[in-house]
Amino acid sequence: MASTIARTYATPAADNKPPLALYGVDGTYASALYTAAVKTSTLETTSKSLAALSEVFKKDSKLHGILGAPTLTTGDKSQIVQELQRHMGGLDKGDTVKNFLKTLADNNRLSILEGICEKFTALMGAARGEMDLVITSAQRLDQKTLQRLETAIAKSEYSQGKKLKVIPKINPDIKGGLLVEIGERTIDLSVSSKIAKMNKLLTDTL
């Protein structure tokens, strides 16, 4: 169903094919939006619009739950789309994102908007020759620490010589330490991972 809607929204052509293969429903929609933005020459403004929406999700932890509420009426969805447009602040030239949001609302897919924003960012990074460096910590890291980590990894074989795009995330469940994801590689330096390994060792011993 999602792939049908996505194809209807934007039929890919050879010269505007997304630079990265994405999976999942949010990946399908992100790819469709990328294709539509290329076809209408609004790729950069679409990217900036989605970046603005990503900031809204970071500032409002309740937004994801609101968008996924099963009780939303057609009127509710229309108001939500208008409010999201307001947060984009005129960045959406050509109404590419506005029309996309209406498509999501019409097909009850507003709940995956946050995932779409993240995957669209990945597409833009790939188009620019960047590689995502996702750094997950239990608590927010300061900019100096993030820059030190970026510099260290940029000098390693993990970066493959590409420009890194740092994406900090917070997950209290890792207890402490770091979880570093770059490309298809994951470096698990979290306390929760160490605890899991210790528990396994104790279980195997007993």
Side-chain angles (χ1 to χ4, degrees):
M1 180 67 173
S3 60
T4 302
I5 294 168
R7 285 196 300 270
T8 301
Y9 183 73
T11 303
D15 59 348
N16 52 34
K17 181 180 178 182
L20 191 66
L22 298 178
Y23 302 95
V25 178
D26 51 0
T28 299
Y29 275 91
S31 297
L33 177 58
Y34 181 94
T35 300
V38 171
K39 290 171 67 176
T40 55
S41 301
T42 58
L43 189 57
E44 287 300 324
T45 55
T46 295
S47 177
K48 291 177 181 178
S49 296
L50 290 194
L53 293 181
S54 291
E55 287 302 313
V56 178
F57 280 105
K58 291 177 183 177
K59 294 176 182 177
D60 188 351
S61 60
K62 296 180 180 179
L63 179 58
H64 181 78
I66 293 172
L67 296 182
T71 55
L72 290 178
T73 64
T74 300
D76 292 333
K77 294 173 187 176
S78 179
Q79 289 185 346
I80 288 172
V81 168
Q82 290 178 18
E83 184 64 17
L84 291 174
Q85 282 181 256
R86 188 181 68 80
H87 283 289
M88 290 188 291
L91 292 170
D92 182 27
K93 305 300 181 183
D95 290 339
T96 303
V97 180
K98 173 186 174 182
N99 294 333
F100 182 73
L101 291 174
K102 288 182 177 180
T103 299
L104 292 180
D106 291 343
N107 294 288
N108 297 317
R109 293 294 190 182
L110 284 173
S111 60
I112 62 171
L113 178 58
E114 185 174 15
I116 291 171
C117 290
E118 291 181 0
K119 293 197 172 181
F120 193 89
T121 298
L123 287 174
M124 290 301 297
R128 293 166 178 158
E130 299 172 343
M131 179 180 285
D132 285 352
L133 171 60
V134 183
I135 301 175
T136 304
S137 56
Q139 297 180 333
R140 187 180 300 278
L141 299 176
D142 59 47
Q143 195 60 37
K144 185 177 180 179
T145 300
L146 289 172
Q147 288 176 346
R148 288 176 60 190
L149 288 167
E150 179 185 4
T151 299
I153 294 172
K155 294 178 180 178
S156 74
E157 61 181 16
Y158 295 114
S159 69
Q160 300 175 25
K162 294 184 178 181
K163 181 181 179 181
L164 300 179
K165 180 179 178 60
V166 180
I167 303 174
K169 291 187 176 183
I170 299 173
N171 181 3
D173 292 341
I174 69 172
K175 310 296 183 184
L178 297 171
L179 184 63
V180 180
E181 300 168 78
I182 178 167
E184 298 180 356
R185 303 287 292 273
T186 299
I187 308 169
D188 194 343
L189 304 173
S190 64
V191 172
S192 62
S193 174
K194 294 178 181 178
I195 293 174
K197 290 177 182 177
M198 186 179 295
N199 286 339
K200 185 179 186 306
L201 179 61
L202 289 171
T203 302
D204 291 345
T205 303
L206 298 175

